Amino acid sequence: MSEGADLVGQAMARFAAARLWAAHRAPYLATAVFALNPVVLEPYLDDRTGRPVPDVEFRAFPADTRWNVHVDTGTALATPVEEIGWWLLHQVGHLVRAHAERSPAAEAHRWNQAADAEINDDLEAEGLLGPAGVISPAALGLPPNRMAEEYVPMLDVLAEAVGKGGRELSEAVDCGSAADGVTRGYEGSGGGLGDLDRELLERSVAAGIQERIGARSEVPSGWRRWAEERLRPEVDWRARLRAVIRRGLSSAAGRVDFSYRRPSRRAGAHPEIVAPAMVSPVPGVAVVVDTSGSVTEPRLDRLVTELTGILNGVAGRNRRLRVICCDVAAHPVQEVRRAADVRLVGGGGTDMRAGLAAATALRPRPDLVIVLTDGQTPWPERRVAADVVVCLIGEDGHAPEWAATVRVPKEDRS
């Protein structure tokens, strides 16, 4: 065996030992660690001795999005097994958290740092401290358990402050295209996993984490959150809204009462007595539309159209719908039969307390009030005198606990 082949063999032996170390220290990621595919690169040779020397570019054992880990022989031989294992866990973090897909087109270096921060605080929570020079939210005084998107502006502020002292936040570490989605020149020769394989692998890792949580084994909070989100079924918001509206209307429609507005069917049996008839009221529905400046009119038009379609399907056609536009104040009520008849008026700030007060002041009082809003508004502190369904547009707003909530994706294009 030539000396070069022998050195490559030694490097791969260290890689195999590092993989075992990583699987032992983080057993909930063992499946992912063993799915990594090592790709040995052309070594960087010393001019004098001709032996491989460490290449700082491959210090992090960079990975690509096909789960290939690029191994530089000189770097692998000079790096402790435990440190290689730490980098393997770190690269798994980039891959399963889809940092390449989430990466913005610009600022790849800052994004790499932010993505490293998102991963490293979970590793530190397990007692797996990173090599010197890697970014650490705890060391920088940043809050833990944040997403990379949240760390980016924090790191920008810190970099500006630290940079004035001539220092950097961390050493230059390149984690490969797995971190930022930018293909490197050395990538492309390793094969690796396809889209379906990656999907199945990530779901398998998430299911394994859920099983460990169920068995009361220790799993860092960041990995718990990832597994829950990865396995969470996506429910069509229209189906959920339809179910919530049907539930609200059925509770009102089931109220049966006596009424003297029409004679009882048994009035002929006792003509000397004026008996009331049993009536089942038709539920009344009012819609409060947030017409403040933060909600776009085309989006509201479409939501109102979808809402009236759902109401027609649930409660029958040709219902008269009362609609109140609301910004900082409630505008006059509009009674319409079609979504196209709604005239959206308003702009500026938002106060849904005014809209709900106007809706519950209507006579007859509505049994169900549906609110279309982005949730950037104050709400009544107490439950109002009607069932309330809040359609929250986007991910940022909030609704009161006493209301049923359906979250509508802001970028929904279906």
Side-chain angles (χ1 to χ4, degrees):
M1 180 182 294
S2 66
E3 183 184 11
D6 182 52
L7 291 174
V8 169
Q10 292 179 34
M12 292 309 298
R14 294 176 69 81
F15 183 90
R19 186 144 57 181
L20 285 174
W21 179 91
H24 173 69
R25 294 302 303 269
Y28 48 90
L29 296 178
T31 304
V33 168
F34 281 99
L36 293 169
N37 178 44
V39 177
V40 180
L41 300 170
E42 191 71 25
Y44 180 60
L45 302 177
D46 183 272
D47 292 337
R48 186 171 55 83
T49 64
R51 294 178 62 83
V53 293
D55 187 339
V56 68
E57 182 182 358
F58 299 103
R59 175 195 175 190
F61 296 85
D64 62 27
T65 55
R66 298 178 67 82
W67 288 67
N68 295 312
V69 175
H70 298 88
V71 181
D72 171 64
T73 303
T75 305
L77 293 174
T79 306
V81 168
E82 294 80 3
E83 184 173 328
I84 301 174
W86 187 92
W87 282 116
L88 296 184
L89 293 173
H90 180 90
Q91 295 295 354
V92 165
H94 282 307
L95 289 164
V96 301
R97 299 187 188 201
H99 283 156
E101 298 174 17
R102 292 159 51 192
S103 171
E107 299 286 337
H109 174 63
R110 177 70 73 231
W111 173 259
N112 197 152
Q113 289 181 317
D116 286 352
E118 179 185 328
I119 297 168
N120 293 349
D121 64 344
D122 282 327
L123 294 175
E124 290 173 355
E126 280 284 272
L128 298 169
L129 301 180
V134 300
I135 205 158
S136 163
L140 293 173
L142 298 177
N145 301 323
R146 299 298 179 92
M147 304 293 283
E149 289 84 351
E150 299 174 273
Y151 280 126
V152 167
M154 299 181 197
L155 292 175
D156 283 340
V157 173
L158 275 179
E160 184 177 354
V162 173
K164 292 178 180 176
R167 295 185 296 117
E168 295 289 338
L169 288 175
S170 64
E171 295 179 7
V173 177
D174 182 8
C175 293
S177 63
D180 56 23
V182 179
T183 303
R184 294 347 187 232
Y186 54 80
E187 296 178 359
S189 60
L193 301 182
D195 292 342
L196 179 59
D197 293 330
R198 291 199 298 268
E199 172 71 18
L200 293 175
L201 175 61
E202 291 174 13
R203 295 189 70 83
S204 173
V205 173
I209 290 176
Q210 292 284 47
E211 288 179 5
R212 295 188 66 85
I213 294 172
R216 300 182 181 279
S217 299
E218 290 293 330
V219 177
S221 58
W223 286 108
R224 287 172 177 254
R225 186 173 61 246
W226 171 80
E228 290 172 1
E229 293 175 355
R230 192 69 183 79
L231 297 178
R232 180 184 300 163
E234 294 186 2
V235 178
D236 183 7
W237 65 269
R238 297 173 186 83
R240 172 163 165 71
L241 178 60
R242 189 178 297 113
V244 172
I245 290 176
R246 181 180 287 116
R247 187 164 62 243
L249 290 178
S250 63
S251 64
R255 296 170 193 159
V256 178
D257 203 353
F258 296 100
S259 174
Y260 287 96
R261 292 184 177 179
R262 62 182 183 182
S264 169
R265 290 186 301 166
R266 296 184 175 84
H270 306 283
E272 71 280 5
I273 300 174
V274 179
M278 298 292 289
V279 295
S280 181
V282 176
V285 178
V287 179
V288 179
V289 183
D290 179 352
T291 52
S292 64
S294 60
V295 186
T296 61
E297 187 167 322
R299 182 65 178 161
L300 285 176
D301 278 333
R302 184 175 171 186
L303 266 181
V304 171
T305 302
E306 298 216 37
L307 178 60
T308 52
I310 291 171
L311 283 170
N312 287 339
V314 172
R317 293 187 174 277
N318 297 320
R319 295 174 58 86
R320 187 170 287 278
L321 196 65
R322 292 177 288 181
V323 178
I324 298 173
C325 295
C326 179
D327 42 30
V328 291
H331 294 269
V333 63
Q334 304 174 49
E335 293 199 11
V336 300
R337 290 187 185 277
R338 301 180 307 162
D341 297 334
V342 176
R343 191 167 52 86
L344 297 175
V345 294
T350 321
D351 190 346
M352 280 298 112
R353 294 174 298 188
L356 285 171
T360 52
L362 293 174
R363 293 295 180 268
R365 177 183 295 164
D367 300 289
L368 181 67
V369 178
I370 302 173
V371 183
L372 307 181
T373 179
D374 61 359
Q376 307 292 339
T377 172
W379 296 95
E381 294 182 358
R382 296 182 179 179
R383 182 185 297 275
V384 300
D387 288 338
V388 176
V389 174
V390 179
C391 295
L392 275 180
I393 305 168
E395 303 296 327
D396 300 329
H398 72 285
E401 293 181 354
W402 44 260
T405 304
V406 177
R407 198 169 284 276
V408 180
K410 196 170 186 177
E411 302 300 329
D412 177 56
R413 299 181 188 278
S414 59

